[in-house]
Amino acid sequence: MRMSCRVLLGAAALSLAAFAHADVVIEMHAVSKDGVGKSVGKVVATQSKHGVVFTPILEGLPERGTLHGFHVHENPSCEPAEKNGKVVPALAAGSHYDPKKTNRHSFPWGTGHLGDLPAIYVDMKGNANSPVLAPRLKLSDLKGRSLMIHAGGDNYSDQPKPLGGGGARVACGVIR
């Protein structure tokens, strides 16, 4: 049987539409002042009608049994960089993604940085696998950025400490 051009074009259009909404898989690596280290797993970002769902499939994370700050950062790098004479893990990733220049940390559903995500929970074995929703993000916002996990939790405020009071950058992945 011969297929008509209309059927072939329709199939091609469906394939392109499916590709446009394909999941984004972000390979995550431990980071230190010495650079990008071993893999700690991946995070799958999926577009939903309610925003982007981030599904972590991670193991071997530090500070077990606690929440960890989780953010999209502005640059596609996980390399260390120097600040005030000190080498900082994954500092080349830059700041939290903030295209509207709000200059404030807030809830993922708030009016602060667009890169502010819900904290992720790391269980007693060092694993994280509970999905979180970023209601203001689209998959198209992610390309050319990085995904960061910080030690310690996130209070979604700049008080009493800036950027939610999260700690050091412990894992990072470049979003392609």
Side-chain angles (χ1 to χ4, degrees):
M1 287 178 74
R2 291 178 27 183
M3 293 184 140
S4 72
C5 283
R6 189 176 306 195
V7 171
L8 288 174
L9 287 174
L14 284 173
S15 294
L16 287 174
F19 178 74
H21 295 291
D23 292 349
V24 174
V25 178
I26 306 150
E27 296 295 328
M28 301 294 291
H29 295 269
V31 292
S32 72
K33 64 182 182 180
D34 297 324
V36 178
K38 69 177 185 161
S39 173
V40 293
K42 62 186 174 183
V43 175
V44 179
T46 306
Q47 185 67 56
S48 80
K49 68 180 183 177
H50 301 290
V52 175
V53 177
F54 290 87
T55 305
I57 307 163
L58 302 168
E59 58 185 29
L61 292 172
E63 294 191 26
R64 296 168 177 195
T66 62
L67 289 172
H68 287 252
F70 194 43
H71 306 99
V72 175
H73 281 245
E74 60 190 353
N75 302 323
S77 177
C78 294
E79 295 297 325
E82 192 173 310
K83 180 179 181 179
N84 300 328
K86 288 183 158 183
V87 177
V88 178
L91 188 62
S95 299
H96 296 178
Y97 178 49
D98 189 19
K100 293 184 179 180
K101 309 288 185 229
T102 66
N103 295 316
R104 63 181 267 264
H105 188 65
S106 184
F107 293 98
W109 51 90
T111 58
H113 306 141
L114 194 57
D116 293 338
L117 304 177
I120 60 171
Y121 177 72
V122 176
D123 69 19
M124 294 305 289
K125 295 180 181 178
N127 302 320
N129 54 28
S130 295
V132 298
L133 174 68
R136 298 183 301 142
L137 279 175
K138 297 181 193 95
L139 279 181
S140 60
D141 295 322
L142 302 180
K143 186 174 181 179
R145 313 244 172 261
S146 58
L147 188 62
M148 192 74 61
I149 299 171
H150 294 265
D154 189 335
N155 70 2
Y156 307 109
S157 174
D158 286 320
Q159 299 297 326
K161 292 183 178 180
L163 302 174
R169 299 169 185 210
V170 297
C172 179
V174 172
I175 306 169
R176 303 191 190 288

